[in-house]
Amino acid sequence: MREPADLIVRPGAILTMVDDSVLYDGMIAVKDGRIAYVGDRQAGEELYEGDRVIDDSQAVVLPGFVDTHTHLGAHFFGTMIDEENVITAVYDLWFPMEFAWDHETMHAASCLGIWDALRSGVTTVANDQYYPQATAEAVDALGMRALVSYEINEFSAPMPVRYDPASRKYSISFDRRRAEEGLAENIALIETWQGHPRVTPCLGPHAPDLLSGEMLQRIAGESEKYDVKMLMHIAQSQAEVEQVRKRGAEGSIHYLDSLGILSRRLQGAHMVWLDDAEIALAAASGMGMSWTPTIMMACQSYARIDDILNSGLRVGFGTDCFSMDVLEEFRYAIYSANFVRGLKSGFRLRAYDLIRMATIGGAICLGLDDSIGTVETGKLADLVVVNLDDAQVIPNTNYFETLVYRAKARNITHTIVGGEVVYADGHLCTADEAELLERGRRLATDWVGRSKDLLAQAGTLGRIQPHFELPELVSDGGPAVGPK
Ligand SMILES: [Zn+2]
């Protein structure tokens, strides 16, 4: 008597990511959202049967990608970046324009980001941003898995950070009330979503320079109390290091160490500007790091990924908001690492190591490695099916290298989260795509309209082409617009 399975997958090969072996002609049986069986196909077929079968001898199955650092709604900003403002966009556009967000805009933007991630094989993201309730609702509705936090800032709202690209410095003033409100909102998020099967709430202290030491310690105390992760941008710019030096620390990790904040609960993104002692401190603390090579190259900087990997620091992969497409990002990552760091030290990043970073490596960073990150019996069925019967991937002589160097998101046929097929054959299974597009376009236009003054101040307004049909600025009754 064979046991019924909810879903059976019969691909040409399975990369379990337990190690670098390939399981040829295997089978996966999914039951109640979990992997009930993975292994030899013949033995599997004697154990399990089911009506729902993905049968593709040209496909490879691997664990869904884990994107350890992104902002699902923030690609709205990505389309406004140009060659003049890659570095200053965050300070001159992003921070002020964030004040013109609202719940509905963030929900619409998050839905588009999730769609883009799911079709790229990403099943889990770690996300910090404003309106996290909206993002959590979107994650819930579209069937993804995510760590979600509120991005807590202490810099003053009416007078945001102004960045001077010539000196790479900025000035900042703090408003404790703003950070207190942010923390309260973040705790409300935790209390609302704790225990949800796919949405894991956590804390989002933005960065060491954007919060005072007292607030950073308060937030660390709450992360211990609620037993949740902290997602933080760390050592992301020289300007940040400049700020922590003013507080008497040699660097951002030194500063967080002096505050007693380095721990397994901390997940740091970027971590570019680190000295040797900071790499060792971070590794010894058990904290995780999100390696985000593309956005850092856009900021003309690069993490010491070779030294970091050698130190034993836990590293996951992150796309930040530039792209949700992990396969596309793999190319930037592997070519840049082998060029930038390879030139310095002879370092070579292997395709397997990169895929590991983007699966089980990320799961370890986010504290989810007991439930996701590998294809193993008992784990949640977060899987991606990649069909390699395409012009640019023949001949497929090595699955790991083919995926990293050649495969594209269009080769992904199925994305499965907790046993549910959420994306199949080019379409989202969990939402009406036309509706997501229409709502995204409409709300993005409204939002850019609300930010018109800011765009004019930043000298970017003239670059928005007439087809965009920017509405007239609504000055009364609408949401607050940036700095006043
Ligand atoms: Zn970020």
Side-chain angles (χ1 to χ4, degrees):
M1 217 3 220
R2 294 190 294 174
E3 250 193 84
D6 301 325
L7 176 69
I8 287 175
V9 190
R10 287 196 295 251
I14 300 166
L15 310 179
T16 65
M17 298 314 293
V18 173
D19 53 35
D20 63 359
S21 62
V22 178
L23 175 58
Y24 296 97
D25 301 317
M27 184 186 112
I28 298 166
V30 176
K31 206 176 161 148
D32 300 327
R34 290 184 183 271
I35 297 165
Y37 175 86
V38 54
D40 177 73
R41 188 175 300 171
Q42 218 177 344
E45 279 172 352
E46 283 167 19
L47 293 169
Y48 289 95
E49 61 180 354
D51 297 334
R52 189 153 198 206
V53 180
I54 298 171
D55 194 351
D56 184 353
S57 64
Q58 296 302 318
V60 58
V61 173
L62 67 159
F65 296 125
V66 178
D67 187 343
T68 57
H69 181 77
T70 195
H71 311 277
L72 285 166
H75 66 280
F76 267 27
F77 292 98
T79 61
M80 257 172 281
I81 285 170
D82 60 47
E83 55 280 8
E84 294 302 321
N85 71 12
V86 166
I87 295 176
T88 61
V90 170
Y91 298 92
D92 290 346
L93 293 177
W94 186 325
F95 288 168
M97 283 182 77
E98 275 185 328
F99 293 111
W101 279 111
D102 57 27
H103 184 99
E104 205 189 353
T105 309
M106 180 57 84
H107 188 273
S110 297
C111 284
L112 294 178
I114 293 165
W115 175 6
D116 199 13
L118 290 175
R119 72 178 168 190
S120 310
V122 177
T123 50
T124 300
V125 298
N127 188 85
D128 65 319
Q129 215 163 357
Y130 297 148
Y131 299 99
Q133 293 279 5
T135 301
E137 285 163 19
V139 165
D140 185 31
L142 270 61
M144 195 183 219
R145 191 179 308 287
L147 262 69
V148 180
S149 71
Y150 181 92
E151 193 174 82
I152 308 170
N153 280 308
E154 197 166 349
F155 63 81
S156 124
M159 194 178 62
V161 183
R162 302 306 292 179
Y163 182 74
D164 174 20
S167 66
R168 297 192 164 201
K169 287 179 184 169
Y170 65 87
S171 57
I172 195 168
S173 65
F174 280 144
D175 175 356
R176 176 61 59 88
R177 205 184 46 207
R178 187 172 181 229
E180 298 275 4
E181 284 168 7
L183 179 56
E185 190 153 335
N186 204 151
I187 287 172
L189 176 86
I190 292 169
E191 291 180 345
T192 305
W193 291 90
Q194 220 163 26
H196 187 282
R198 285 181 289 100
V199 178
T200 304
C202 59
L203 288 154
H206 190 162
D209 55 332
L210 301 175
L211 289 148
S212 62
E214 300 91 82
M215 275 314 294
L216 286 165
Q217 283 177 317
R218 278 264 310 279
I219 296 164
E222 297 293 344
S223 91
E224 218 173 300
K225 181 178 151 195
Y226 286 94
D227 193 20
V228 294
K229 290 272 175 192
M230 284 183 287
L231 308 178
M232 195 188 302
H233 300 74
I234 301 175
Q236 62 178 330
S237 67
Q238 286 166 297
E240 173 192 325
V241 175
E242 191 75 33
Q243 293 287 330
V244 300
R245 285 200 173 135
K246 281 187 193 159
R247 302 185 200 173
E250 277 299 299
S252 296
I253 289 287
H254 287 298
Y255 178 55
L256 295 173
D257 183 47
S258 73
L259 297 172
I261 288 177
L262 300 184
S263 80
R264 279 171 186 266
R265 289 200 181 78
L266 184 60
Q267 179 65 18
H270 313 311
M271 294 177 61
V272 166
W273 302 97
L274 304 181
D275 63 28
D276 290 343
E278 288 180 296
I279 292 174
L281 273 171
S285 73
M287 70 174 288
M289 166 183 162
S290 303
W291 183 44
T292 57
T294 306
I295 196 159
M296 287 296 101
M297 283 193 285
C299 298
Q300 299 171 339
S301 64
Y302 207 82
R304 296 167 58 189
I305 191 64
D306 45 345
D307 299 328
I308 285 164
L309 290 173
N310 285 337
S311 76
L313 177 56
R314 298 159 168 216
V315 181
F317 195 64
T319 64
D320 213 318
C321 51
F322 267 46
S323 171
M324 294 295 161
D325 184 342
V326 165
L327 289 172
E328 177 183 77
E329 293 291 304
F330 276 169
R331 247 85 71 186
Y332 297 132
I334 204 154
Y335 291 131
S336 62
N338 291 337
F339 172 54
V340 180
R341 301 307 299 176
L343 267 186
K344 277 205 158 64
S345 66
F347 174 67
R348 284 287 174 269
L349 183 63
R350 289 194 307 158
Y352 167 74
D353 292 330
L354 190 50
I355 296 177
R356 190 182 182 282
M357 214 185 270
T359 53
I360 184 64
I364 291 169
C365 283
L366 302 183
L368 297 175
D369 49 311
D370 284 345
S371 50
I372 61 164
T374 54
V375 184
E376 285 183 274
T377 305
K379 282 206 174 178
L380 291 165
D382 285 14
L383 305 167
V384 54
V385 184
V386 192
N387 173 283
L388 296 174
D389 199 19
D390 195 4
Q392 89 289 4
V393 279
I394 293 174
N396 162 33
T397 51
N398 178 304
Y399 281 103
F400 295 105
E401 285 156 15
T402 298
L403 285 171
V404 166
Y405 287 101
R406 304 292 296 179
K408 294 179 189 286
R410 69 165 185 250
N411 301 128
I412 292 169
T413 57
H414 298 81
T415 304
I416 300 161
V417 181
E420 295 295 324
V421 178
V422 290
Y423 171 84
D425 301 318
H427 294 288
L428 269 181
C429 309
T430 48
D432 181 334
E433 294 174 345
E435 195 185 309
L436 295 189
L437 289 174
E438 189 283 320
R439 196 162 62 107
R441 270 195 304 267
R442 178 167 47 81
L443 290 166
T445 307
D446 290 351
W447 167 64
V448 174
R450 291 201 296 274
S451 309
K452 228 167 148 182
D453 283 354
L454 290 164
L455 290 164
Q457 272 174 35
T460 306
L461 192 56
R463 296 184 65 104
I464 296 179
Q465 293 170 1
H467 79 280
F468 191 74
E469 291 176 8
L470 197 58
E472 285 308 305
L473 183 64
V474 180
S475 57
D476 51 348
V481 180
K484 297 236 172 67

